[in-house]
Each structure stands twice: as C-alpha cells, then as structure tokens.
Amino acid sequence: MSPTKEFRLLALENPLLDIQAFGDEALLKKYDLKANDAILAEEKHQSIYEDLLNNFDAKLIAGGAAQNTARGAQYILEPNSVVYLGGAGDDKYAAILRDACKQAGLRVEYRVDPKIPTGRCGVVITGHNRSMVTELGAANHYDLEHLKRPDIWQLVENAEAYYVGGYHFTVCPPAIQELAKQAAEHNKPFILSLSAPFICQFFKEPLDASAPYWDYVIGNEGEAAAYSESHGLGLTDVKEIAKALANLPKVNTQRKRVAIITQGTEPTVVAVQGEDEVKEYPVHPLAKEEINDTNGAGDAFAGGFCAGIVDGKSLEEAVDMGQWLARLSIKELGPSYPFPKQTY
Ligand code: 26A
C-alpha cells in the first residue's frame, strides 16, 4: 500500500458519546446489568444516563467502538490516514465527538440527522469490567444513501483497507455488504470486529452474510464463545474457535483469512486459514496500579492492528501494535490515547 496516499483506512459504525462512571454492584443490579457486557438500552434502562451524570460523577468521553478504533489507527499512522463514517445528530454531543476526532486527526463524515439526538452509551466501570448500555439515536439512521453519496463513495473507492465494527449489524447491513464487496473486488483487506456476544447471537443472519468477505476477523473470548454457541460449532476452546472462523468459506481467495481472538491479560490467539498451527502472543504486561479502566481496550487493539495491516507490517507485528495500543488505552480514562503522543 502506498504510504503517501491519504485516507487509506475507511471505518464504519456508530458514533456514540460515552457517559462513563465508576459504579458498584448495586448500580448494576438496579439496571439489571452484567458486569462485563454491551447491550442496547431497553425501557428499564432509560434513566441510567441521568443517574450516571447526576449521582456517579460521570464523564463525557468520545466513544463508539469503531470510532475508537479509527482514532487509534490514526494515532499510529501518518496524518490524514483514516476516515470514519457513521450517523450523528446536530447537537452538543456531536460537537464533543467532532472535537475529539479533530484532536486525534481523524476525519469524520457523519450522516447528520438534525432531528435525532446523537447516540450515547452509559458505561459502568466496576473493577476491570465495563458494562455498556447504548441508545443509538442518530447512529441508528445511517443509510446506504449516505455511503453512495458521490463524495463519500469516492472515499470508499480511494481507501485501501476497510474496518467495520460488528455493532453496525444492528444498523445498516447493506452498507457493510457494499464495503465488503468493494474490498473483495479490488483485493483490499476487509477487517471485521465481532464487537459483542449479542451480535453473534441475535444478528447472526447479516453477520453470516458478511463472513465470506472477512479477511481479518477480530473478537474477544466472550464473542468467540457466543459465535461458537450460536453457530452450533460445539467448540469451547478459543484456539479451535479461531481455527473454525479462519476456515469459513471465503470469496477473495487471494488472501488467507486470519482470525484474531484477544483474551484480556491472556495471550492473543491467531489462526490463519489452511494452517494447522494456531499461534499465541502474550500481551504486554501492565502493573495493576497502572490500570485506569478497560473501556475501549479491545477497540484500541483493533486500532493498532489495523494500523499495522494498512502499513503492510507482518501479522506478528500488527498483533504487537494492537497489544501496544491496548496497553496505552487501558492506562487512560475510557477509550482514549495518551497525549503527547507516544510512538510505537
Ligand atoms: C450498537 N451498540 C450497542 C454499540 C455500542 C458501541 N459502539 C457502537 N455500537 N455499544 C457500546 N459501544 C462502544 O464500545 C466502546 C468500547 O468498546 C462504546 O461507546 C465504547 O466506547
């Protein structure tokens, strides 16, 4: 890939503002939340945002999983390397997001819906866990029309790699398929994150429709387990699940699929299509007292990994870049990266 070209990586998903606070068991119980999960808000969750802001000293932090990844990749790559697409409102929260992305040097092209509020994600931190409750708002209205707008489509055609956050399966699967096909037709890498167990369980159909296009599929141990269960694989071993993912049928036969499964502090598992051996890469150690919170750690891993792939690094080095960026993000509050910038 050409290092002088601009906006080589194009990412798509749901821009959200995180309303993040340190909470406790009682708060999780009040809203019927698991300690480590990501869900869409239901009626019973409606008051959590005000509750976090008023009673738990919540902070407003730029979020949206793939937007975090896009900021992360841009953190490592040359200026003007990454462009991010998604739906937002025209309000205070959108302004905060735009500002954070601008500071990170990330170009955003939002589909703006002035009538609908920007999406928000309540994040409850307890220990090393994070529980997320999302109200998608304007992010839920992203559409194919925006993707196909001539100026946006030009960015799509210009890009040399695509990253899609699996959370977007709840929003606009046709847009995901368009990017997937574009990647396969032009032999560009298509990178997908499984994002959350509920995507594997309840959005199986659009997920499976995109699977033949995955050149890289990234997930964590919980998502791998949910994938195995919802697809009747009968596998519980993470290495075996990674192997199964790597060997699913594939459209672009010029690239072997790679499945990457992170496991928190346990080694990152990497399986390559057609290869018997599944590799394990230990994570970069981090002292307990250096941990701020794990919100966005997986997104940061994906950001570092994408930067490596876009820059033509080896698989091993791309994994190392992912682990490096995840470690940096865990030391920050929320899905953020340290400034002044550190270099890989
Ligand atoms: C559709 N859903 C549920 C979501 C999300 C989401 N990003 C997009 N769509 N639910 C949580 N997040 C984001 O995940 C990040 C941590 O990985 C949060 O905004 C948080 O920044």
Side-chain angles (χ1 to χ4, degrees):
M1 292 178 212
S2 143
T4 51
K5 200 174 154 184
E6 293 199 328
F7 305 112
R8 290 182 289 152
L9 177 64
L10 181 134
L12 166 72
E13 208 206 41
N14 316 321
L16 303 174
L17 191 72
D18 287 356
I19 301 176
Q20 175 177 327
F22 292 93
D24 52 24
E25 275 305 313
L27 182 63
L28 294 175
K29 206 161 164 218
K30 179 173 175 190
Y31 292 100
D32 195 18
L33 302 174
K34 291 183 195 154
N36 206 25
D37 205 2
I39 59 165
L40 290 167
E42 295 167 34
E43 196 56 41
K44 64 184 175 192
H45 302 120
Q46 290 310 316
S47 59
I48 193 172
Y49 307 100
E50 293 308 312
D51 203 355
L52 286 169
L53 285 167
N54 296 336
N55 307 319
F56 290 86
D57 190 28
K59 302 281 180 283
L60 300 179
I61 313 169
Q67 188 169 243
N68 302 336
T69 296
R71 282 190 291 120
Q74 182 58 69
Y75 187 84
I76 295 177
L77 294 168
E78 292 290 305
N80 297 330
S81 288
V82 189
V83 56
Y84 170 82
L85 311 178
D90 182 13
D91 48 17
K92 199 177 84 189
Y93 280 8
I96 297 174
L97 291 185
R98 285 183 189 278
D99 197 48
C101 292
K102 196 172 171 193
Q103 274 188 30
L106 173 68
R107 174 168 174 186
V108 295
E109 293 291 344
Y110 294 149
R111 174 195 180 276
V112 178
D113 197 322
K115 292 198 203 78
I116 305 176
T118 297
R120 52 189 181 165
C121 177
V123 185
V124 180
I125 306 290
T126 52
H128 295 168
N129 294 317
R130 90 282 182 268
S131 195
M132 306 192 286
V133 185
T134 293
E135 200 169 62
L136 279 165
N140 209 15
H141 296 265
Y142 192 81
D143 57 15
L144 211 45
E145 204 182 316
H146 183 267
L147 187 74
K148 287 293 182 74
R149 217 174 69 188
D151 57 325
I152 302 296
W153 190 250
Q154 207 175 357
L155 290 166
V156 172
E157 287 183 330
N158 168 75
E160 294 181 344
Y162 304 95
Y163 177 82
V164 172
Y167 284 124
H168 205 69
F169 285 115
T170 71
V171 174
C172 187
I176 299 175
Q177 289 304 94
E178 282 298 316
L179 295 183
K181 287 179 184 160
Q182 182 71 16
E185 270 166 31
H186 300 278
N187 190 24
K188 299 171 182 178
F190 181 79
I191 309 163
L192 183 107
S193 163
L194 293 174
S195 291
F198 87 86
I199 297 294
C200 302
Q201 290 158 344
F202 305 121
F203 294 86
K204 193 168 168 271
E205 210 176 292
L207 179 72
D208 291 349
S210 76
Y213 296 94
W214 305 341
D215 291 299
Y216 298 91
V217 54
I218 305 177
N220 64 25
E221 71 278 44
E223 291 145 20
Y227 184 93
S228 172
E229 204 183 317
S230 60
H231 290 73
L233 301 185
L235 301 171
T236 50
D237 182 68
V238 170
K239 286 170 124 182
E240 291 300 319
I241 301 169
K243 212 174 193 176
L245 285 167
N247 288 291
L248 291 171
K250 196 164 184 305
V251 169
N252 179 5
T253 50
Q254 294 182 69
R255 293 175 185 274
K256 287 189 198 174
R257 182 184 297 108
V258 182
I260 304 106
I261 309 295
T262 61
Q263 318 187 77
T265 54
E266 296 298 309
T268 304
V269 165
V270 178
V272 180
Q273 187 177 19
E275 289 183 13
D276 219 36
E277 192 197 354
V278 179
K279 293 207 168 117
E280 285 185 292
Y281 299 93
V283 301
H284 300 196
L286 182 63
K288 265 211 169 77
E289 54 280 10
E290 282 192 283
I291 299 176
N292 202 327
D293 66 71
T294 58
N295 180 20
D299 306 335
F301 174 86
F305 182 81
C306 286
I309 296 303
V310 168
D311 257 353
K313 301 285 196 271
S314 69
L315 186 55
E316 191 174 350
E317 196 168 356
V319 169
D320 194 66
M321 289 164 78
Q323 293 178 338
W324 176 81
L325 196 64
R327 184 177 177 281
L328 287 191
S329 170
I330 291 168
K331 289 170 35 168
E332 301 292 309
L333 186 71
S336 312
Y337 310 101
F339 279 90
K341 255 192 192 191
Q342 304 201 12
T343 41
Y344 173 75

